[in-house]
Amino acid sequence: MIIKVKDLVCKFGDICALDGISLDVKKGEVVVIIGPSGSGKSTLLRCLNALESFESGEVTIDGTKVVKENKSVHKIRLEVGMVFQQFNLFPHLTVIENIMLAQRIVRKRSAEISRQKGMELLGLVDLSDKIDAYPAQLSGGQKQRVAIARALAMDPMIMLFDEVTSALDPEMVGEVLEVINKLADKGITMLIASHEIGFAREVAHRIIFIEDGKIVEDGPPSVILDNPKQQRTKDFLSKVL
């Protein structure tokens, strides 16, 4: 298991965002997390790379415990890439410069190696022709694909995707999901919070349904989407399918 979560509790004031979640993820597994807005999907992902503190429980990534206050955080963030709803690209840098920057600063790679890596990944996300463009010159879908390439450039063991299509126009959603599909084919471990149920069916090894900070149901797409055991899962799916 490359990810182990045990009895995870995370609170924001009086609100319990995660209420005793336990979860194991195998290396190479693709897990899609579904659930209503405010159910805890994003909070769970943010706890996995120490962007969010938690009250109790344990998170272990490839044998290293996630503790926000100690030196393990830097190691965790090197190995766990995250792509957010918003693209967070530097507007004053070109596409290739955005992808090179963290490689040079954090991974200590040369400009030549960083650029070569960036060009390879822009090919993967079908943006080789945008290498010298600035973010303002890109569509939302293109910006999100650059953000994915930037995260991949750090060679993470795990990729986290937090509602990466929610800020996109409908016609741009497909191009981003196509890239994530390519990553799944490469065997990259991924946790994906998404409202795209059709995509979840296609790409996931497992689907987890979360509500009120608890895992309601966890299983393969054929079970969760076609034959859920819990009434709450059935009610949710009846509204989104």
Side-chain angles (χ1 to χ4, degrees), residues 200-212:
R201 182 189 296 277
E202 181 180 346
V203 76
H205 296 122
R206 285 163 61 199
I207 293 178
I208 294 173
F209 173 56
I210 290 182
E211 186 178 55
D212 296 330

Side-chain angles (χ1 to χ4, degrees), residues 10-29:
C10 179
K11 295 182 179 180
F12 302 109
D14 295 332
I15 298 172
C16 188
L18 299 176
D19 188 6
I21 280 185
S22 295
L23 170 70
D24 291 339
V25 179
K26 298 175 184 176
K27 187 174 182 180
E29 197 169 20

Side-chain angles (χ1 to χ4, degrees), residues 5-211:
V5 178
K6 185 178 179 182
D7 300 328
L8 188 63
V9 175
C10 179
K11 295 182 179 180
F12 302 109
D14 295 332
I15 298 172
C16 188
L18 299 176
D19 188 6
I21 280 185
S22 295
L23 170 70
D24 291 339
V25 179
K26 298 175 184 176
K27 187 174 182 180
E29 197 169 20
V30 179
V31 179
V32 176
I33 306 167
I34 64 173
S37 297
S39 60
K41 302 187 299 294
S42 297
T43 303
L44 174 58
L45 295 186
R46 291 174 66 86
C47 286
L48 294 182
N49 67 348
L51 285 175
E52 208 68 72
S53 298
F54 45 89
E55 271 62 36
S56 61
E58 291 184 357
V59 176
T60 306
I61 304 293
D62 195 33
T64 300
K65 284 189 179 181
V66 177
V67 182
K68 191 170 184 179
E69 289 73 25
N70 71 19
K71 296 178 181 178
S72 69
V73 169
H74 180 66
K75 178 183 176 183
I76 294 295
R77 289 179 180 160
L78 275 176
E79 303 301 344
V80 182
M82 188 160 184
V83 182
F84 301 87
Q85 295 178 32
Q86 302 301 325
F87 324 114
N88 297 331
L89 300 178
F90 292 106
H92 63 291
L93 299 180
T94 64
V95 164
I96 192 65
E97 288 168 344
N98 264 283
I99 296 173
M100 290 172 62
L101 184 63
Q103 293 186 72
R104 300 209 62 198
I105 293 173
V106 180
R107 288 290 190 190
K108 309 298 183 186
R109 293 173 181 159
S110 68
E112 181 181 358
I113 291 174
S114 297
R115 185 177 180 86
Q116 182 179 356
K117 182 80 172 178
M119 290 174 68
E120 290 173 4
L121 290 167
L122 286 173
L124 175 70
V125 300
D126 296 323
L127 287 175
S128 297
D129 59 332
K130 300 295 184 182
I131 186 170
D132 293 318
Y134 287 89
Q137 299 170 303
L138 304 177
S139 70
Q142 290 170 335
K143 290 176 186 176
Q144 195 60 285
R145 284 186 279 157
V146 172
I148 292 171
R150 179 178 59 182
L152 289 171
M154 300 298 287
D155 295 318
M157 294 186 300
I158 299 162
M159 284 288 290
L160 309 177
F161 295 91
D162 184 14
E163 301 283 7
V164 292
T165 60
S166 65
L168 302 179
D169 293 333
E171 64 267 24
M172 297 176 184
V173 169
E175 62 191 41
V176 174
L177 298 183
E178 183 180 346
V179 170
I180 298 175
N181 248 325
K182 288 182 182 179
L183 302 184
D185 290 341
K186 288 178 174 291
I188 295 176
T189 307
M190 292 189 282
L191 273 78
I192 306 166
S194 180
H195 288 297
E196 302 289 338
I197 303 299
F199 166 71
R201 182 189 296 277
E202 181 180 346
V203 76
H205 296 122
R206 285 163 61 199
I207 293 178
I208 294 173
F209 173 56
I210 290 182
E211 186 178 55

